[in-house]
Amino acid sequence: MRIAEFELERYFARWEFAVRHLLCASDVEGWPMGELLALADDETAALWRDLRLGYTEAHGHPLLRREIASLYETAAPDDILVLSGAEEGIFALVNVLVGAGDHAIVTWPGYQSLYEVGRGCGADVTLHELREDAGWAIDVELLRRQVTSRTRLVVINAPHNPTGMLPDRATFDAVVDIAAEAGAHLLVDEVYRYLEVDEADRLPAGVDAGSHVISLGVMSKSFAMAGLRIGWLATRDADVLRRVAAFKDYTTICASAPSEILSIIGLRARDTVLGRSRSIVRDGLAAVDDLIQRRQDDLAWIRPRGGSIGFPRLRAGLDADRFAADLVEAEGVLLLPGSRFGHPGNHFRIGFGRTDVVAAIAGLERHLARVRASG
Ligand SMILES: Cc1ncc(COP(=O)(O)O)c(C=O)c1O
């Protein structure tokens, strides 16, 4: 397969560990290992202590699949396939579902692999553009028109990277129906689920919405454990899961043994884990709200309805690439310009899931003041 470079990941490879403040991270501040182990119950403490570092079960540890299934209303452990990160889930699933001659529709701007893998597989990928002047919302009528007789896959991401958009229930139901009527699968990338600003806005999980729908989850974002590299697909379509499992034999075969046990511990303690994440994200969002309020002449945004990130806009005339490059040099604060999503101009991604958000914003604000002073 020939596939275009992943712009966002190349940018992070250059900068992520070289800056003082990562003001564009999408994950929540990682759990300290010692504190996670302290959450273990008797059974998981023994699993950890007695763990042998052999290969693991290809579909995932049975107890892990049980914990993941319990996140959903209708999924059984057999409806879960454990993968190495959400990224492997995207790669394997899209490879299995589309090829040359097939058509896929993917929301954009967005996480590049959601549309790039399909292109790499030779599929014809239509980008469903989310527009700021429409609140970054999915346009149901446009989506209906984008469907063709060759459409095999529709992909949405909710809450959405990079905008923090979260469809309302009617839109979500309409997307589920459009995919079903097209005879297509629907992939719902739910890696930011549980980080809704208002918990009442949480959508049903994709897997619970229909047997043609596949939920993508991960320990990285709302569960704040990106270093585990544990993700999963959940679907009641047994044939899809079987084909993805067979594909995985060519990528990772099975997941990391220590990571599986640590994930079971984290998922069993989900109330504590998600409570911490929601509190960090709430504080971070409040700090960004304050910044945008203070700097209305320089910044504007559609306030996120979910997730740990948003997509603000610099005042007209400022270019996000130039601004981010100068900011990192002057203050050691990293933003992610929209160009990394194929969306050049004055938008950038800001992340508010880390505990240094206030210090990072102070650096950003000093820089904004300098830019304004220089005209
Ligand atoms: C929308 C979305 N999907 C999938 C992923 C991949 O998650 P992971 O890096 O944990 O595999 C990311 C990571 O940023 C993401 O933002």
Side-chain angles (χ1 to χ4, degrees), residues 275-339:
R276 168 188 175 274
S277 295
R278 291 183 58 81
S279 151
I280 292 173
V281 165
R282 194 181 315 116
D283 291 351
L285 178 57
V288 182
D289 274 338
D290 289 348
L291 167 76
I292 290 179
Q293 182 66 28
R294 284 192 304 271
R295 288 276 164 190
Q296 284 177 32
D297 292 344
D298 292 319
L299 293 171
W301 76 345
I302 307 279
R303 189 170 190 261
R305 297 204 325 128
S308 44
I309 46 192
F311 205 44
R313 173 167 41 83
L314 289 162
R315 75 177 142 88
L318 290 184
D319 171 69
D321 286 282
R322 180 76 266 144
F323 185 85
D326 292 345
L327 172 66
V328 77
E329 191 173 320
E331 297 284 348
V333 172
L334 192 70
L335 295 176
L336 181 61
S339 62

Side-chain angles (χ1 to χ4, degrees), residues 73-104:
E73 301 278 328
T74 59
D78 281 351
D79 300 327
I80 309 299
L81 179 66
V82 174
L83 295 132
S84 297
E87 187 73 309
E88 188 184 30
I90 296 166
F91 190 74
L93 183 79
V94 175
N95 263 280
V96 160
L97 290 183
V98 299
D102 293 333
H103 176 240

Side-chain angles (χ1 to χ4, degrees), residues 2 203 256 271:
R2 291 281 157 85
L203 292 168
S256 146
D271 291 346

Side-chain angles (χ1 to χ4, degrees), residues 9 26 84-88 90 111 114 157 161 189 191-192 216 218 220-221 226 229 309 349:
E9 298 297 350
S26 60
S84 297
E87 187 73 309
E88 188 184 30
I90 296 166
Y111 191 64
L114 292 172
N157 165 215
N161 174 9
D189 180 329
V191 301
Y192 300 101
L216 176 70
V218 80
S220 307
K221 311 294 185 182
R229 310 306 301 127
I309 46 192
R349 186 174 87 182

